[in-house]
Amino acid sequence: MAKNFHTDNKAFMLYKDWEDIFQALDSSEEIGELVMALFAYAKRGETPKLSGGTKIAFLMMRAAIERDGIAWEEMCAQRSECGKKGDRPKKSDESGNTDEKAEQTAASADNAEEKPQGINDTAEKPKAFSQTERFSEKAKKADKDIDIDIDKDTDKDIDKDTDKDIDKEKKKDAGTAKSVVRSFGTHKNIMLTSEQYNELESRCRSVGLSLESYISKLSQWLFTKGRHCTDPYRIISGWIDNDSKRKTAAKPKERQGCDLSWYDDFAMNFDLSKFF
């Protein structure tokens, strides 16, 4: 007797993408009405009277339930036909290939019937099993050793690469720190990199000058004039060179030693009578 999915099938499919359809309904009453309509059609083939969005949603879902039900009826009919013939249908995968396991089982049964009686096959099985197990253990041990060696080499390579990356990052950070532009001066309008500032400060310290005084002087002048300096490093560097030269030129020369022995002889032998 042919199966009818409305009365004989105990379940029907509820798809996940139907959630959007349920959420699109205006109220919980419409959702409940739609759910009861689906059960009525799936169990008894009834089509309730619906309206609006509920009716549209039911028609879409009814088509899916009917499609699944027909597929279920066809599957039941196929199984019933195979049952009448006394043979199980061979399972097929998506590519159309039959169940190889069932074929191998049937072939093994045929070979067992064709073997002559009186031959004891069980006597050789323990030996074969023992050899297979021993070879399997050796293979596992070899694979384990290989995995350990590979892991050690891989760890070393990873450590080397990690150290190289860290060195690169440190050099990159150091270069970035030198090239970072900072603002100096009273009005924060003197832009110098860290490398430029350190160089100017070292030069000023070597000749006894103050870098902050130069920066403040230039910052105040630019602010007063309402100007912007594109290369403050060049200007301050020129000022330091000029002041260094002036300071060196103004430095007093060391006095030469004076020998006063001649003055003693002159004072002792000087004749004052000439002046009276």
Side-chain angles (χ1 to χ4, degrees):
M1 182 177 179
K3 296 285 186 179
N4 187 334
F5 74 89
H6 291 295
T7 56
D8 299 324
N9 194 4
K10 297 181 180 181
F12 68 95
M13 187 70 69
L14 190 67
Y15 292 93
K16 292 181 179 180
D17 56 358
W18 288 358
E19 181 182 10
D20 298 333
I21 300 176
F22 281 107
Q23 291 178 351
L25 298 177
D26 296 332
S27 62
S28 300
E29 288 77 7
E30 291 184 352
I31 295 175
E33 188 178 2
L34 176 58
V35 172
M36 296 307 298
L38 293 175
F39 275 103
Y41 179 76
K43 291 180 67 176
R44 297 177 294 275
E46 298 176 358
T47 303
K49 293 182 180 180
L50 302 172
S51 61
T54 309
K55 183 177 181 179
I56 297 173
F58 172 75
L59 293 176
M60 296 172 59
M61 297 177 180
R62 185 185 68 177
I65 293 174
E66 185 175 2
R67 181 181 63 249
D68 295 341
I70 294 174
W72 179 81
E73 291 176 356
E74 293 176 352
M75 181 184 64
C76 291
Q78 183 180 6
R79 289 180 177 177
S80 177
E81 191 67 24
C82 293
K84 292 178 181 179
K85 294 180 180 181
D87 188 15
R88 289 184 60 189
K90 294 180 180 180
K91 296 181 180 179
S92 301
D93 54 15
E94 296 179 355
S95 61
N97 296 325
T98 57
D99 191 352
E100 296 180 357
K101 186 175 181 180
E103 294 179 356
Q104 293 176 357
T105 303
S108 300
D110 295 339
N111 293 332
E113 294 178 357
E114 294 177 358
K115 285 183 179 180
Q117 297 180 358
I119 299 177
N120 188 3
D121 296 335
T122 58
E124 298 296 331
K125 287 183 179 180
K127 184 178 179 180
F129 177 77
S130 177
Q131 292 177 354
T132 305
E133 184 178 6
R134 185 168 64 253
F135 293 147
S136 177
E137 291 177 355
K138 290 182 179 180
K140 288 181 180 179
K141 185 177 180 181
D143 292 340
K144 186 176 181 181
D145 295 337
I146 292 172
D147 291 340
I148 293 173
D149 294 338
I150 291 174
D151 292 340
K152 289 181 179 179
D153 296 338
T154 304
D155 291 339
K156 291 180 180 179
D157 295 338
I158 292 174
D159 292 338
K160 291 181 181 179
D161 295 338
T162 304
D163 294 338
K164 290 180 181 179
D165 294 338
I166 292 173
D167 294 337
K168 288 181 181 179
E169 291 296 331
K170 288 182 179 179
K171 292 180 181 179
K172 184 178 179 181
D173 294 340
T176 304
K178 290 182 179 180
S179 61
V180 172
V181 179
R182 298 167 54 193
S183 58
F184 299 91
T186 307
H187 303 284
K188 301 297 181 181
N189 54 356
I190 306 301
M191 310 304 293
L192 297 170
T193 63
S194 299
E195 186 176 8
Q196 291 175 340
Y197 181 87
N198 294 334
E199 181 187 349
L200 294 175
E201 186 179 25
S202 177
R203 290 170 56 188
C204 288
R205 193 185 303 111
S206 64
V207 294
L209 299 175
S210 174
L211 176 60
E212 295 298 330
S213 62
Y214 291 116
I215 293 177
S216 300
K217 177 181 177 182
L218 181 58
S219 176
Q220 184 63 32
W221 185 84
L222 292 173
F223 179 77
T224 304
K225 298 296 183 179
R227 297 182 180 180
H228 175 71
C229 183
T230 58
D231 192 3
Y233 170 79
R234 181 178 58 82
I235 296 175
I236 296 175
S237 180
W239 287 352
I240 294 173
D241 290 340
N242 293 335
D243 290 346
S244 298
K245 292 177 182 178
R246 291 174 185 174
K247 193 171 183 179
T248 304
K251 186 177 181 181
K253 297 181 180 180
E254 295 181 358
R255 295 181 179 179
Q256 297 179 355
C258 182
D259 186 10
L260 297 179
S261 59
W262 64 275
Y263 182 75
D264 292 337
D265 295 337
F266 175 77
M268 294 298 293
N269 299 321
F270 187 72
D271 186 7
L272 296 177
S273 62
K274 296 179 180 180
F275 299 95
F276 297 101

